[in-house]
Amino acid sequence: MRISPSLSISSIMASGSATGSGSLMWFRKGLRIHDNPALEYASKGSAFVYPVFVIDPHYMEPDPTAFSPGSTLAGLNRIRFLLESLVDLDLSLKKLGSRLLVLKGEPSEVVIRCLKQWNVKKICFEYDTDPYYQALDMKVKNYASSAGIEVFSPVSHTLFNPADIIQKNGGKPPLSYQSFLKLAGQPSWASSLLSVSLSSLPPVGDIGSCEISEVPTVRELGYEDYEQDELTPFRGGESEALKRLKESISNKEWVANFEKPKGDPSAYVKPATTVLSPYLKFGCLSSRYFYQCLTDVYKNVKKHTAPPVSLVGQLLWRDFFYTVAFGTPNFDQMKGNRICKQIPWNNDDELLAAWREARTGFPWIDAIMVQLRKWGWMHHLARHCVACFLTRGDLFIHWEKGRDVFERLLIDSDLAINNGNWLWLSCSSFFYQYHRIYSPISFGKKYDPNGNYIRHFLPILKDMPKEYIYEPWTAPLSIQKKSKCIIGIDYPKPVVSHDSASKECKRKLAEAYALNQKLNGQVSEDDLKTLRRKLEGDEIQEPRSKRSRQNPTDLS
């Protein structure tokens, strides 16, 4: 449905002036003008539209106790990306005769206060599946209902409505990608033109005594003392998203041949993917518009890749995880999550900190973790490597701990996708071939034999010869001295031996899988404690030969 360019601001105002109606457009994600059905509906038949964004203190205020600069929930890179997106949205609204009204406080309380003060007949906001927003939305909907205010909350963050897919599947989410595809079919809106532009918006009405501000800077939020030596190269906002989209789809051959999981995880000057994930996360780019642009490219090429490996396939993976997350209680934890294997993960804060702070002694792993901290983004295969290393590959640490680090540092962190990927990569759900492990040495070497990626993100190793760059602890002391990097002093020794650690992980997972099967998934806390004691005892008592029955299979 396309908004007619001839629909002038005066005609919109005239249609609304008979009732004196106003609308409140509540932005959360969906920080865009194009394909925004909530904004479109808010503007129709309204004399005034109040575009509102609420600065949520628990998401934005500095937390001095966190392991990196940022709030309790988000690292500074993501906060900065969000603020840039809001500045861009405000500029776009101003071009349409409106502006963004920024308020601060607990979002549902602030929105309800605005509804009470302003002459609003309807409130519009994009539907959000996150439990946090579901709870906020219920409060706002309940108030609006009691006050006779219309609520319009369309699904436009995903290609499909997760609730529809779950209903089609008898009330449970499909747990495989292929079953999801069969249920989903073609999106209902795919054959019609999406609204990608607005010519104008009704003006903002009287704001009364509500305290409105401009979009704050990171300094104004209280981050004035922080200086970062390398900022993320990705800027937030719809304008940047559409520019990046245009660049990506202009290379029709690249789009047609895109095939995940192929791609170079070590490419950092020009990443080997679209880097549109942060823009999809904040809704600066509509996934539906992206989908239509891709299908337009496919129509004009002789052949192209298909799901699950194609670019459209990646958008469908996103919807798959959204659907499973929405329909699975406790999706973001192991305990009480019916689709998650119960595994007695190690609780080792020192190893976790070494991984988080890029001190594992494996340069490929540490370089990825430095890129994560500095850029807030890394290639999907790089994410796979460090997630596997932390959990089932080497350290056997709980996937929730790694999820928390990603959730904080990634600019594209998204509850459904982040948790879905950690469940997958730890072999806790979706994927169960735990013997297939990413080598922290040979996997990266395959893409970048010279180690340029490592040299960039770990400059301490920049002079290490390529023969030793992935395993610097094997370099003779004379080479280490010449490279100005003594292992154990300038750069750490490996925290584990990969060969023996990966064998241990496989042995523990085999035991955990057997227990889950025996108890039909009904594994109690006591069962896990008993298994943990057994595994720890076996580590001490069992001879190495007995523990290594399975041949290691590295994905290298």
Side-chain angles (χ1 to χ4, degrees):
M1 188 164 56
R2 190 177 290 282
I3 295 177
S4 167
S6 62
L7 196 60
S8 68
I9 194 161
S10 56
S11 63
I12 294 174
M13 286 181 68
S15 65
S17 58
T19 56
S21 63
S23 300
L24 192 152
M25 172 62 203
W26 181 17
F27 285 99
R28 301 95 65 86
K29 293 171 191 162
L31 303 178
R32 64 179 184 271
I33 304 298
H34 77 278
D35 183 34
N36 194 331
L39 179 62
E40 184 180 332
Y41 191 78
S43 69
K44 283 188 173 174
S46 298
F48 305 102
V49 172
Y50 297 88
V52 164
F53 184 88
V54 184
I55 299 286
D56 191 341
H58 96 292
Y59 188 91
M60 303 285 255
E61 281 187 356
D63 178 1
T65 66
F67 69 79
S68 75
S71 68
T72 306
L73 296 180
L76 191 53
N77 268 330
R78 190 156 82 252
I79 291 171
R80 185 184 280 111
F81 191 95
L82 169 58
L83 295 177
E84 289 166 352
S85 301
L86 293 174
V87 167
D88 187 68
L89 177 63
D90 185 40
L91 287 170
S92 297
L93 289 169
K94 282 172 178 169
K95 287 174 188 171
L96 298 171
S98 184
R99 63 167 287 204
L100 188 63
L101 306 173
V102 179
L103 298 99
K104 187 176 181 181
E106 197 280 337
S108 62
E109 291 173 7
V110 171
V111 169
I112 289 168
R113 193 162 67 241
C114 292
L115 291 176
K116 286 176 179 174
Q117 287 202 20
W118 302 337
N119 181 23
V120 168
K121 294 290 185 280
K122 59 186 177 187
I123 177 168
C124 306
F125 51 90
E126 184 177 67
Y127 183 75
D128 198 313
T129 54
D130 281 12
Y132 178 71
Y133 280 101
Q134 290 270 304
L136 289 182
D137 294 355
M138 190 55 65
K139 290 182 199 170
V140 171
K141 283 176 181 176
N142 287 342
Y143 171 77
S145 175
S146 68
I149 296 170
E150 181 188 356
V151 176
F152 183 68
S153 184
V155 173
S156 54
H157 189 63
T158 47
L159 305 178
F160 300 92
N161 184 341
D164 292 346
I165 306 284
I166 290 165
Q167 189 180 3
K168 278 187 191 176
N169 201 42
K172 286 186 176 180
L175 295 181
S176 78
Y177 182 75
Q178 290 304 327
S179 58
F180 169 81
L181 290 188
K182 281 180 189 171
L183 286 161
Q186 280 286 102
S188 57
W189 46 264
S191 56
S192 56
L193 272 177
L194 293 170
S195 169
V196 293
S197 62
L198 282 165
S199 57
S200 60
L201 282 170
V204 176
D206 181 10
I207 58 170
S209 61
C210 285
E211 283 188 38
I212 307 296
S213 72
E214 295 291 324
V215 177
T217 63
V218 287
R219 190 172 286 270
E220 286 165 348
L221 286 174
Y223 297 99
E224 67 278 349
D225 296 331
Y226 179 63
E227 284 185 23
Q228 194 167 338
D229 58 341
E230 186 178 351
L231 296 172
T232 178
F234 311 116
R235 295 287 163 262
E238 179 183 21
S239 302
E240 187 67 28
L242 293 174
K243 179 181 157 197
R244 189 170 279 277
L245 172 67
K246 189 178 177 183
E247 286 171 3
S248 295
I249 61 174
S250 65
N251 187 343
K252 291 180 171 50
E253 188 182 347
W254 182 82
V255 171
N257 295 324
F258 183 90
E259 194 173 341
K260 190 179 177 182
K262 291 180 182 176
D264 183 354
S266 69
Y268 65 92
V269 177
K270 188 180 188 304
T273 185
T274 64
V275 196
L276 286 170
S277 54
Y279 302 94
L280 290 165
K281 179 262 184 312
F282 283 107
C284 301
L285 175 65
S286 155
S287 61
R288 309 192 312 173
Y289 180 55
F290 189 14
Y291 179 97
Q292 281 200 341
C293 290
L294 291 173
T295 52
D296 284 348
V297 170
Y298 293 159
K299 286 173 195 168
N300 294 301
V301 293
K302 285 182 181 175
K303 62 174 186 172
H304 59 84
T305 51
V309 300
S310 64
L311 275 173
V312 157
Q314 305 319 299
L315 286 175
L316 291 164
W317 274 112
R318 178 176 181 265
D319 264 64
F320 167 62
F321 280 139
Y322 263 89
T323 303
V324 182
F326 185 61
T328 305
N330 304 311
F331 182 71
D332 60 345
Q333 59 190 57
M334 179 177 82
K335 201 172 175 183
N337 180 349
R338 66 179 182 83
I339 71 167
C340 182
K341 297 268 190 215
Q342 303 298 298
I343 296 168
W345 300 106
N346 292 344
N347 187 18
D348 191 319
D349 288 341
E350 284 187 22
L351 282 180
L352 174 66
W355 175 83
R356 186 182 68 214
E357 294 160 16
R359 293 187 285 103
T360 68
F362 289 91
W364 173 244
I365 299 298
D366 292 341
I368 294 167
M369 294 306 289
V370 171
Q371 185 183 23
L372 168 62
R373 187 178 286 259
K374 289 187 172 184
W375 287 24
W377 181 91
M378 64 285 210
H379 189 275
H380 55 267
L381 287 178
R383 300 180 195 209
H384 292 188
C385 288
V386 294
C388 178
F389 182 88
L390 181 75
T391 56
R392 64 184 173 86
D394 291 81
L395 304 187
F396 210 68
I397 286 172
H398 204 314
W399 63 267
E400 288 177 23
K401 303 277 190 181
R403 182 276 320 279
D404 288 346
V405 173
F406 272 30
E407 191 174 277
R408 175 171 194 79
L409 296 178
L410 283 170
I411 52 175
D412 60 10
S413 177
D414 182 301
L415 184 137
I417 299 163
N418 191 27
N419 281 284
N421 278 320
W422 277 95
L423 283 162
W424 188 298
L425 288 158
S426 64
C427 282
S428 294
S429 193
F430 306 115
F431 177 77
Y432 303 107
Q433 295 176 37
Y434 58 81
H435 57 282
R436 299 182 70 201
I437 288 171
Y438 289 89
S439 166
I441 299 158
S442 57
F443 187 81
K445 196 185 288 185
K446 177 172 68 174
Y447 295 95
D448 181 20
N450 192 45
N452 293 331
Y453 176 84
I454 291 169
R455 294 175 204 281
H456 178 80
F457 288 106
L458 292 175
I460 190 67
L461 291 169
K462 67 178 171 36
D463 297 322
M464 187 66 67
K466 70 176 185 179
E467 294 82 4
Y468 305 107
I469 188 86
Y470 285 88
E471 301 171 89
W473 62 91
T474 65
L477 186 58
S478 60
I479 299 285
Q480 293 181 33
K481 285 179 177 174
K482 192 177 177 184
S483 305
K484 299 184 283 294
C485 180
I486 308 298
I487 303 308
I489 298 173
D490 302 307
Y491 181 72
K493 293 176 181 176
V495 290
V496 291
S497 159
H498 171 60
D499 287 345
S500 57
S502 62
K503 286 170 189 171
E504 278 300 311
C505 286
K506 290 169 198 169
R507 185 180 70 85
K508 290 175 179 178
L509 277 170
E511 296 257 15
Y513 271 39
L515 180 66
N516 277 264
Q517 188 173 14
K518 179 184 171 186
L519 299 177
N520 200 24
Q522 303 299 308
V523 181
S524 71
E525 195 67 41
D526 285 341
D527 295 326
L528 278 182
K529 282 178 184 172
T530 302
L531 179 57
R532 185 178 283 110
R533 279 196 296 271
K534 178 185 182 301
L535 292 173
E536 286 169 355
D538 288 351
E539 269 185 68
I540 297 165
Q541 293 168 21
E542 279 194 28
R544 180 179 293 273
S545 58
K546 207 172 177 184
R547 294 207 306 257
S548 307
R549 281 174 296 208
Q550 242 176 336
N551 290 325
T553 308
D554 282 346
L555 289 183
S556 52

